[in-house]
């Protein structure tokens, strides 16, 4: 397990507050010894094993004549039996899903809300390996887990029209550089050109990436939710109205007043707090790797018996759960792109749980909304039944 329950150690004189105030989304910050021991038990073999799994999102980047070549997985099972002789890097997205031990690392970044977290990308490089100078659109904490890597960053952005896959820049004029040792962390906000080059074989970097939803996704999902809401209720669907309108002198004209009226209809939808909370919360809880629904789901009575016998409900490592209180009693629980109305305390509790035990079941199963939510999550595979240690032996 690569758990790191240790808090993030900001440089002397810095606190999470000062970081958020002056650096987050704004400027890079090098933090020496910020996460000592992070990812220490992650081995080269484990990384390569995950890289050849069909389900993982892996890439191999090799250097040929000074140019970076990208090979996108899935790879043949023997792809890494013989490693390239030129400098190489293997990148795996969402490693926390395949190595749930890495999830512990997320708690070091709890000075930011979990919904902003996107994934843990792991890179393994041979000496001189890297992905080349590029720009990312997202905030990232680059955690050195093993070996050493030289990072260079800063300077103007010269976008490259040719390279789309690696988002490389055509010219790289960094203003800063540093050699990162295990435990060191470099924070980069979006849009800062950077390049990491491994200084030794077996250099492992863990990139804690954050997501920033774009307007396309947000509006897209809001439109779906609005459409669903009024689908079966056309007679009460909010509709444009123009009683008392001025006389039309140009019948082909769409006037500014008309557009304002139409726009108001949309603004009214946005003004519906519960509807927008639902749509936006569902969108930001969309997982990269959704859980798989189990073939059979036990009835609540059967589930209670299994939990009593030592089984437990374990959360799928790729699931995203968040909560938003609507009032003192009611909350929305966002689960992997869905939302469920539940009691406020239940939402706040379950969003942070990795397991649901018999005790927790006893506390909540009598509440119909909480029970419905648990059963729905079991039905979707958000929480899966796992035998207790007795049954496993
Ligand atoms: C790497 O780990 O080598 C690449 C990470 C990045 O630059 O975003
Ligand atoms: Co990058």
């Amino acid at each position: 397990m690569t758990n790191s329950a240790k808090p993030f150690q900001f440089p002397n004189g810095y606190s999470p507050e000062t970081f958020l105030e002056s650096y987050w989304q704004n400027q890079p910050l090098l933090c020496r010894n910020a996460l000592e021991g992070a990812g220490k038990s992650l081995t080269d073999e484990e990384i390569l094993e995950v890289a050849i799994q069909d389900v993982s999102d892996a890439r191999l980047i090799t250097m040929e004549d000074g140019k970076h070549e990208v090979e996108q997985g899935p790879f043949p099972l023997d792809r890494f039996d013989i490693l390239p002789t030129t400098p190489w890097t293997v990148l795996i997205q969402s490693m926390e899903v395949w190595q749930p031990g890495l999830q512990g690392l997320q708690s070091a970044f709890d000075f930011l809300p979990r919904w902003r977290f996107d994934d843990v990308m792991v890179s393994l490089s041979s000496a001189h390996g890297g992905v080349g100078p590029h720009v990312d659109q997202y905030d990232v904490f680059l955690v050195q887990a093993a070996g050493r890597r030289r990072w260079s960053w800063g300077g103007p952005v010269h976008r490259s029209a040719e390279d789309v896959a690696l988002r490389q820049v055509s010219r790289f004029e960094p203003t800063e550089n540093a050699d990162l040792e295990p435990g060191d962390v470099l924070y980069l906000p979006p849009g800062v050109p950077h390049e990491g080059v491994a200084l030794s074989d077996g250099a492992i970097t863990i990139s804690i990436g954050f997501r920033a939803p774009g307007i396309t996704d947000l509006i897209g999902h809001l439109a779906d939710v609005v459409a669903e809401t009024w689908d079966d209720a056309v007679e009460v669907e909010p509709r444009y109205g123009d009683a008392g309108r001025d006389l039309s002198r140009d019948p082909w004209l769409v006037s500014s007043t008309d557009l304002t009226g139409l726009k108001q209809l949309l603004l009214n939808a946005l003004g519906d707090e519960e509807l927008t909370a639902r749509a936006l919360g569902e969108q930001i809880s969309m997982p990269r790797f959704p859980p798989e629904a189990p073939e059979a789901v036990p009835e609540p009575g059967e589930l209670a018996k299994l939990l009593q016998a030592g089984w437990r409900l374990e959360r799928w490592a790729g699931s995203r759960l968040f909560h938003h209180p609507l009032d003192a009693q009611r909350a929305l629980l966002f689960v992997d792109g869905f939302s469920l109305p539940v009691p406020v305390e239940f939402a706040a509790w379950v969003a942070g749980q990795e397991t649901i035990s018999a005790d927790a079941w006893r506390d909540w199963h009598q509440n119909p909304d909480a029970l419905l939510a648990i059963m729905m999550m079991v039905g979707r595979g958000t929480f899966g039944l796992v035998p207790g240690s007795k049954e496993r032996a």
Side-chain angles (χ1 to χ4, degrees):
M1 292 293 248
T2 39
N3 270 320
S4 158
K6 284 188 208 149
F8 193 95
Q9 297 294 320
F10 283 99
N12 268 345
Y14 288 77
S15 64
E17 287 85 355
T18 52
F19 171 75
L20 293 174
E21 209 177 285
S22 308
Y23 292 88
W24 176 245
Q25 294 244 288
N26 192 15
Q27 50 175 322
L29 183 65
L30 175 63
C31 307
R32 295 279 182 200
N33 294 313
L35 283 174
E36 234 174 279
K40 215 168 92 189
S41 56
L42 206 53
T43 65
D44 300 12
E45 292 73 26
E46 270 175 333
I47 294 172
L48 295 177
E49 246 166 58
V50 175
I52 52 166
Q53 314 273 315
D54 274 0
V55 284
S56 70
D57 180 359
R59 283 170 289 171
L60 170 67
I61 291 110
T62 44
M63 280 262 268
E64 300 288 341
D65 305 325
K67 264 199 84 188
H68 294 86
E69 302 285 341
V70 190
E71 222 178 292
Q72 175 75 49
F75 298 104
L77 287 179
D78 60 359
R79 181 64 188 92
F80 300 111
D81 286 357
I82 299 170
L83 292 165
T85 46
T86 53
W88 56 270
T89 290
V90 168
L91 291 176
I92 305 171
Q93 298 286 157
S94 304
M95 191 67 161
E96 77 285 5
V97 177
W98 320 115
Q99 295 276 317
L102 279 173
Q103 294 211 333
L105 199 52
Q106 288 177 43
S107 62
F109 300 90
D110 278 347
F111 49 88
L112 291 158
R114 289 282 177 127
W115 74 262
R116 284 289 261 119
F117 165 78
D118 190 16
D119 80 325
V120 175
M121 184 180 81
V122 166
S123 73
L124 169 67
S125 303
S126 67
H128 312 296
V131 306
H134 65 279
V135 200
D136 294 316
Q137 295 315 311
Y138 305 99
D139 302 83
V140 66
F141 290 89
L142 300 157
V143 181
Q144 194 61 30
R148 293 162 66 233
R149 188 181 286 275
R150 173 163 302 162
W151 285 99
S152 312
W153 67 94
V157 179
H158 301 286
R159 291 199 188 279
S160 157
E162 290 151 43
D163 182 275
V164 184
L166 291 174
R167 300 178 301 272
Q168 285 192 349
V169 287
S170 57
R171 200 146 40 92
F172 184 42
E173 298 156 330
T175 50
E176 312 271 342
N177 65 70
D179 294 351
L180 266 68
E181 309 265 347
D184 293 345
V185 178
L186 173 63
Y187 162 72
L188 293 177
V192 176
H194 57 281
E195 178 178 29
V197 179
L199 296 175
S200 54
D201 281 341
I204 300 176
T205 300
I206 302 175
S207 309
I208 312 287
F210 287 77
R211 58 167 75 174
I215 190 161
T216 323
D217 288 341
L218 293 180
I219 295 273
H221 192 64
L222 181 71
D224 289 345
V225 170
V226 170
E228 270 165 35
T229 309
W230 305 109
D231 227 11
D232 299 325
V234 272
E235 66 287 354
V236 282
E237 178 185 351
R239 196 166 288 280
Y240 175 74
D242 52 3
R245 67 172 300 132
D246 290 342
L247 177 70
S248 209
R249 296 193 190 282
D250 172 356
W252 286 274
L253 175 74
V254 181
S255 72
S256 300
T257 318
D258 292 343
L259 284 182
T260 307
L262 289 165
K263 202 167 89 184
Q264 193 55 47
L265 205 59
L266 299 182
L267 293 176
N268 290 350
L270 281 177
D272 181 332
E273 293 291 333
E274 193 162 332
L275 183 130
T276 15
R278 192 150 67 82
L280 300 179
E282 288 179 0
Q283 176 58 37
I284 60 176
S285 70
M286 300 274 183
R288 277 173 170 257
F289 285 93
E292 236 174 73
E295 274 168 25
V297 180
E299 292 297 315
E302 175 70 8
L303 188 56
K305 274 193 212 144
L306 289 168
L307 293 174
Q308 204 50 52
W311 290 56
R312 63 187 187 282
L313 288 170
E314 217 162 80
R315 177 169 158 170
W316 163 243
S319 276
R320 293 169 65 85
L321 267 71
F322 312 114
H323 66 106
H324 173 74
L326 292 169
D327 54 39
Q329 277 87 41
R330 296 176 320 131
L332 287 174
L333 178 66
F334 305 121
V335 183
D336 296 335
F338 297 91
S339 61
L340 302 160
V342 290
V344 127
E345 298 86 5
F346 174 75
W349 170 78
V350 81
Q353 296 310 301
E354 271 164 29
T355 52
I356 297 178
S357 63
D359 286 349
W361 171 270
R362 250 191 313 275
D363 289 347
W364 290 110
H365 80 283
Q366 275 166 346
N367 183 297
D369 290 332
L371 177 65
L372 195 69
I374 295 177
M375 295 313 296
M376 277 188 73
M377 291 192 285
V378 173
R380 290 187 200 283
T382 313
F383 281 94
L385 257 173
V386 179
S389 45
K390 270 183 271 154
E391 284 71 15
R392 252 202 220 133

